């Protein structure tokens, strides 16, 4: 009995098994960096910052380092140097020297199919944009005016606009903005999330980045279009953050690029997904339920439609209309993209599928998720790695997108201006010239201002040079 008690006391006195840091991985993004510690077991961590000079300190209890910190590639991050030391005899302290202020947060992850225990340390860069080339403030102002016009049209269905028609009618025509149509391109996965892995070891995150960069070049090379990359390097972006970036960058369209996988090597072909009706319904409910969204910007990517002053029923109606219009646009674009993809690859599904993918749930941006092929199929994996096939996939995706927007250009876009200037006005149409006002145009054609506005769906909005107005018959 005495022996057993002695052994028990000795066991409790033994230090806990030390966790070993087997590897440290760093993923650098424009607005943050993620540091991942691969551990042999669970450990507790304490993370804090120090000033003069700027440092981030990471303390791990009962841990030791078993990797070379000098091999860590710090390029593109706020970290300028890394050092480590023993803390309190059995712990590990890692110190990151920083070039700028960071806002750290950390969490641990249990083992999964790819990794063991992990400690994740995220360093956010206050004030930095998540994209390499954020939208120009002047262009943002143009979009704000455009979305204000859309807001007035939406509100006209539920309440009379509080606008003095005589004041608006006297405003001279504004220059046409001729803005670019913004296409947000989202390469799936990234960083510590490789996505699906093919039988030959091809990682989905690498393939979709190559296709996305090719798509980016096509978009930027087309007059009247501009691409925004949701991620432009090997790092991970949260699913809701992806749509949030698209909204912040005033995107007209969002496309997420992926490569499908299945537990059998047989399935192959491309697929196109839009948001499902049930997904739209559940997202509408979430937006209405979340208090932070009640005052958020719902009826336009710049968010000019606040639902704060609307009752619960009207909020639901307005948001439902917005989601429905967005979903219809998504399906229309998806059909054109699917048609083009079918010319360069077999289609896994012959119609646009609908599912509740998180990245498709923006209430005001038409969105598609494209599965370019099955990376789990050996033949398709080889094609997905082929640069020529990647280019053809990118071309087919852009061809579908471009075709839609050339037929349905946003009013303030360059494509809309080009369409209006190609259009030959008939006897009952008038093209707005510099210096024109609504009242002058109405008087010149002998029609009331109100009738002219009604015939052209103008709800107190500014008119633009080059815009073609239909002149109602008296």
């Amino acid at each position: 009995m005495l022996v057993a008690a002695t052994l028990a006391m000795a066991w409790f006195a033994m230090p806990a098994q030390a966790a070993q840091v087997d590897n440290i991985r760093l993923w650098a993004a424009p607005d943050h960096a993620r540091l991942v510690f691969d551990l042999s077991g669970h450990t507790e961590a304490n993370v804090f910052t120090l000033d003069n000079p700027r440092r981030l300190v990471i303390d791990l209890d009962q841990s030791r380092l078993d990797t070379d910190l000098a091999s860590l590639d710090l390029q593109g991050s706020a970290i300028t140097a890394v050092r480590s030391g023993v803390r309190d005899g059995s712990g590990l302290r890692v110190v990151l020297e920083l070039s700028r202020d960071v806002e750290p947060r950390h969490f641990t992850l249990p083992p999964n199919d790819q990794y063991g225990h992990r400690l994740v340390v995220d360093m956010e860069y206050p004030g930095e944009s998540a994209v390499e080339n954020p939208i120009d403030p002047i262009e943002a102002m143009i979009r704000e005016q455009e979305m204000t016009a859309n807001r007035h049209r939406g509100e006209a269905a539920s309440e009379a606009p509080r606008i003095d028609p005589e004041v608006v009618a006297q405003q001279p025509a504004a220059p046409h903005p001729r803005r670019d149509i913004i296409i947000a391109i989202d390469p799936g996965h990234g960083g510590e999330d490789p996505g699906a892995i093919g039988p030959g070891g091809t990682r989905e995150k690498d393939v979709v980045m190559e296709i996305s960069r090719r798509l980016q070049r096509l978009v930027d090379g087309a007059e009247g279009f501009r691409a925004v990359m949701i991620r432009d390097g090997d790092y991970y972006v949260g699913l809701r953050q992806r749509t949030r970036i698209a909204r912040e960058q005033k995107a007209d369209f969002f496309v997420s690029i992926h490569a499908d996988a299945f537990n059998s090597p047989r399935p192959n072909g491309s697929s196109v997904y839009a948001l499902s009706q049930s997904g739209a319904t559940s997202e509408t409910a979430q937006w209405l339920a979340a208090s932070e969204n009640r005052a958020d910007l719902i009826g336009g990517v710049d968010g000019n439609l606040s639902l704060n002053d609307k009752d619960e029923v009207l909020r639901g109606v307005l948001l439902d209309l917005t989601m429905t219009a967005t979903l219809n646009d998504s399906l229309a674009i998806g059909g054109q993209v699917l048609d083009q993809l079918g010319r360069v690859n077999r289609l896994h599904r012959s119609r646009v599928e609908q599912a509740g993918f998180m990245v498709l749930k923006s209430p005001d941006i038409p969105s598609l998720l494209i599965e370019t092929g099955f990376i789990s199929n050996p033949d398709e994996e080889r094609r997905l790695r082929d640069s020529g096939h990647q280019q053809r996939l990118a071309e087919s995706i852009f061809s579908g997108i471009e075709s839609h927007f050339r037929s349905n250009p946003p009013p303030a876009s360059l494509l809309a201006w080009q369409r209006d200037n190609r259009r030959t006005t008939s006897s009952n149409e008038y093209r707005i010239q510099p210096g024109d006002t609504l009242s002058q145009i109405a008087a010149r054609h002998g029609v009331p201002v109100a009738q002219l506005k009604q015939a052209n769906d103008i709800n107190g909005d500014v008119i633009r040079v080059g815009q073609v107005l239909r002149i109602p018959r008296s």
Side-chain angles (χ1 to χ4, degrees), residues 178-403:
R178 301 187 222 179
R179 71 166 180 84
D180 289 337
I181 295 170
I182 304 298
I183 308 298
I185 303 172
D186 171 40
H189 308 281
E192 70 275 22
D193 175 16
I197 298 177
T202 308
R203 300 181 300 186
E204 180 181 3
K205 69 172 183 177
D206 299 328
V207 166
V208 300
M209 176 56 82
E210 286 300 317
I211 296 171
S212 295
R213 283 184 171 144
R214 292 174 183 278
L215 178 58
Q216 177 191 22
R217 288 192 287 271
L218 290 169
V219 172
D220 285 337
E223 186 182 30
F225 287 88
R226 197 178 103 202
V228 168
M229 292 289 280
I230 299 300
R231 74 171 177 94
D232 199 20
D234 190 13
Y235 51 86
Y236 183 75
V237 180
L239 298 180
R240 283 211 180 267
Q241 175 69 2
R242 294 175 193 242
T243 56
R244 192 155 51 244
I245 292 170
R247 296 187 82 241
E248 289 170 354
Q249 295 303 303
K250 317 300 180 191
D252 295 282
F253 180 67
F254 175 95
V255 57
S256 190
I257 309 296
H258 288 257
D260 219 336
F262 195 64
N263 55 16
S264 163
R266 288 192 297 274
N268 62 87
S270 302
S271 305
V272 176
Y273 287 88
L275 183 62
S276 66
Q277 191 60 55
S278 61
T281 301
S282 65
E283 189 68 6
T284 298
Q286 179 166 331
W287 273 76
L288 289 171
S291 59
E292 64 269 22
N293 287 331
R294 290 177 186 263
D296 205 342
L297 316 169
I298 309 276
V301 288
D302 73 329
N304 277 288
L305 178 56
S306 169
L307 302 184
N308 255 357
D309 59 344
K310 309 297 188 292
D311 63 36
E312 190 72 30
V313 174
L314 184 54
R315 278 204 299 267
V317 170
L318 291 174
L319 184 53
D320 186 57
L321 287 172
T322 301
M323 291 289 282
T324 300
T326 300
L327 181 54
N328 288 340
D329 282 346
S330 300
L331 291 169
I333 301 171
Q336 303 220 42
V337 170
L338 193 69
D339 178 64
Q340 295 297 322
L341 279 171
R343 303 180 186 190
V344 302
N345 199 39
R346 182 184 180 277
L347 296 179
H348 185 64
R349 293 281 187 269
S350 59
R351 62 182 179 85
V352 178
E353 297 291 296
Q354 292 182 256
F357 290 114
M358 184 68 71
V359 292
L360 301 181
K361 290 187 175 182
S362 176
D364 49 9
I365 307 176
S367 308
L368 292 176
L369 186 146
I370 298 175
E371 298 282 7
T372 52
F374 277 80
I375 202 169
S376 52
N377 178 292
D379 290 336
E380 200 145 59
E381 179 190 18
R382 282 192 291 273
R383 288 199 299 276
L384 287 170
R385 283 201 307 260
D386 179 73
S387 60
H389 187 64
Q390 291 172 356
Q391 182 67 22
R392 288 188 291 274
L393 287 170
E395 288 172 354
S396 64
I397 294 169
F398 180 59
S399 179
I401 295 170
E402 183 183 30
S403 177

Side-chain angles (χ1 to χ4, degrees), residues 109-153:
L109 293 172
N112 61 16
D113 293 340
Q114 295 172 336
Y115 301 108
H117 290 275
R118 284 153 292 159
L119 167 67
V120 179
V121 179
D122 283 333
M123 292 166 281
E124 304 288 339
Y125 305 156
E128 289 295 329
S129 172
V131 298
E132 293 285 349
N133 298 301
I135 193 168
D136 182 82
I138 300 299
E139 193 168 349
M141 183 179 67
I142 292 170
R143 289 166 184 278
E144 185 173 344
Q145 294 172 349
E146 186 177 24
M147 289 303 171
T148 300
N150 292 338
R151 176 190 67 182
H152 291 321
R153 292 190 186 99

Side-chain angles (χ1 to χ4, degrees), residues 15-37:
Q17 180 67 40
Q20 184 171 290
V21 179
D22 297 318
N23 189 32
I24 301 178
R25 295 171 284 134
L26 175 65
W27 314 102
D31 64 337
H32 73 278
R34 168 166 286 190
L35 206 62
V36 180
F37 292 74

Side-chain angles (χ1 to χ4, degrees), residues 15-22 37-46 58-66 84-94 119:
Q17 180 67 40
Q20 184 171 290
V21 179
D22 297 318
F37 292 74
D38 290 312
L39 307 166
S40 62
H42 175 76
T43 187
E44 296 296 326
N46 183 32
I58 304 166
D59 287 340
L60 293 86
D61 295 341
Q62 299 290 325
S63 302
R64 63 186 182 87
L65 188 66
D66 192 29
S84 66
V86 177
R87 174 181 169 271
D88 295 339
S90 60
L92 172 65
R93 169 164 288 183
V94 177
L119 167 67

